[in-house]
Amino acid sequence: KQEVTQIPAALSVPEGENLVLNCSFTDSAIYNLQWFRQDPGKGLTSLLLIQSSQREQTSGRLNASLDKSSGRSTLYIAASQPGDSATYLCAVRGNQFYFGTGTSLTVIP
Amino acid sequence: NAGVTQTPKFRVLKTGQSMTLLCAQDMNHEYMYWYRQDPGMGLRLIHYSVGEGTTAKGEVPDGYNVSRLKKQNFLLGLESAAPSQTSVYFCASSYRKGLAGDTDTQYFGPGTRLTVL
């Protein structure tokens, strides 16, 4: 069974700092990996999707990388802002979707 | 477009009661999913559907049933609720093009918070 791990569980940074969130998975036989953002009491919003054949995807201040052979993905957030405060989850798609437990990010003004 | 909507938003049940959660999407998506989210466990897939009239089991299907009679709707049923089913339930949908591109991006509803006493 696929296991998806996100470390750290919580992260607090000052505004303006660049940061990296980590996601690891145990089974490299995946079709894609997706990063989501979840605000308290809300649903998930898709940020980036990386196909298994791709190495990275970029959207604005966000950059996600994928190293399928080592079972790792990172989400890089540049010039963090208080509005980036949320929980970030990664999900991998094998025969079905498997989610990590998320990293709770707080950006301090 | 409303995207993915879920009803109800909140519900409290007593053990043994039944209920149905409704998910609707207006994006003409083929795939629909039901997840539950529990503290410290992330989201876990309950059931999913790859098209109208089809359903399949996910990671944690026991105690739940689903139906997809119309493409835009996906219903999740609890026949006899148990306290272990206290959770936040999320519905999602995706449009699988089957080719390189924006495949499998999931769009989520706002969730239903269910408490079983």
Side-chain angles (χ1 to χ4, degrees):
Chain A
K1 175 179 172 283
Q2 179 77 267
E3 299 285 343
V4 182
T5 304
Q6 293 187 247
I7 295 173
L11 181 64
S12 185
V13 301
E15 182 177 0
E17 193 163 293
N18 302 324
L19 59 101
V20 175
L21 306 180
N22 298 296
C23 173
S24 62
F25 47 95
T26 54
D27 186 351
S28 61
I30 64 171
Y31 292 103
N32 57 57
L33 182 145
Q34 197 164 2
W35 282 94
F36 293 88
R37 168 187 174 135
Q38 185 176 28
D39 294 288
K42 305 287 186 183
L44 281 70
T45 300
S46 178
L47 298 172
L48 291 164
L49 183 146
I50 310 176
Q51 302 290 351
S52 61
S53 59
Q54 297 175 323
R55 298 285 291 182
E56 65 179 319
Q57 282 283 352
T58 298
S59 177
R61 295 183 293 110
L62 305 179
N63 175 276
S65 69
L66 174 63
D67 184 343
K68 203 171 69 160
S69 61
S70 67
R72 294 182 180 182
S73 176
T74 61
L75 179 67
Y76 174 83
I77 301 177
S80 58
Q81 303 170 357
D84 294 331
S85 297
T87 297
Y88 291 81
L89 298 102
C90 68
V92 297
R93 189 184 190 284
N95 57 338
Q96 55 183 264
F97 288 96
Y98 295 93
F99 281 77
T101 53
T103 295
S104 177
L105 172 66
T106 301
V107 180
I108 304 167
Chain B
N1 287 351
V4 180
T5 58
Q6 293 182 235
T7 53
K9 290 186 170 52
F10 303 93
R11 187 71 185 270
V12 178
L13 291 178
K14 294 181 179 178
T15 297
Q17 287 185 318
S18 64
M19 78 162 295
T20 300
L21 281 68
L22 171 63
C23 175
Q25 53 93 5
D26 60 1
M27 297 174 282
N28 200 34
H29 285 174
E30 293 294 331
Y31 284 40
M32 297 187 74
Y33 316 83
W34 276 108
Y35 294 92
R36 59 178 289 173
Q37 185 176 37
D38 302 292
M41 302 197 70
L43 274 83
R44 291 179 292 169
L45 184 64
I46 305 171
H47 285 281
Y48 64 100
S49 168
V50 301
E52 182 179 324
T54 71
T55 63
K57 295 180 180 179
E59 186 182 356
V60 289
D62 294 342
Y64 305 95
N65 57 75
V66 288
S67 64
R68 183 103 180 263
L69 299 180
K70 294 183 179 180
K71 186 177 183 179
Q72 62 268 34
N73 295 338
F74 196 29
L75 278 64
L76 177 70
L78 286 73
E79 290 186 348
S80 180
S84 61
Q85 294 178 304
T86 294
S87 187
V88 181
Y89 291 85
F90 287 102
C91 176
S93 68
S94 66
Y95 178 46
R96 190 136 188 237
K97 296 181 180 179
L99 300 171
D102 189 17
T103 304
D104 275 346
T105 297
Q106 292 189 69
Y107 297 83
F108 278 77
T112 294
R113 187 173 295 275
L114 175 65
T115 301
V116 183
L117 302 175

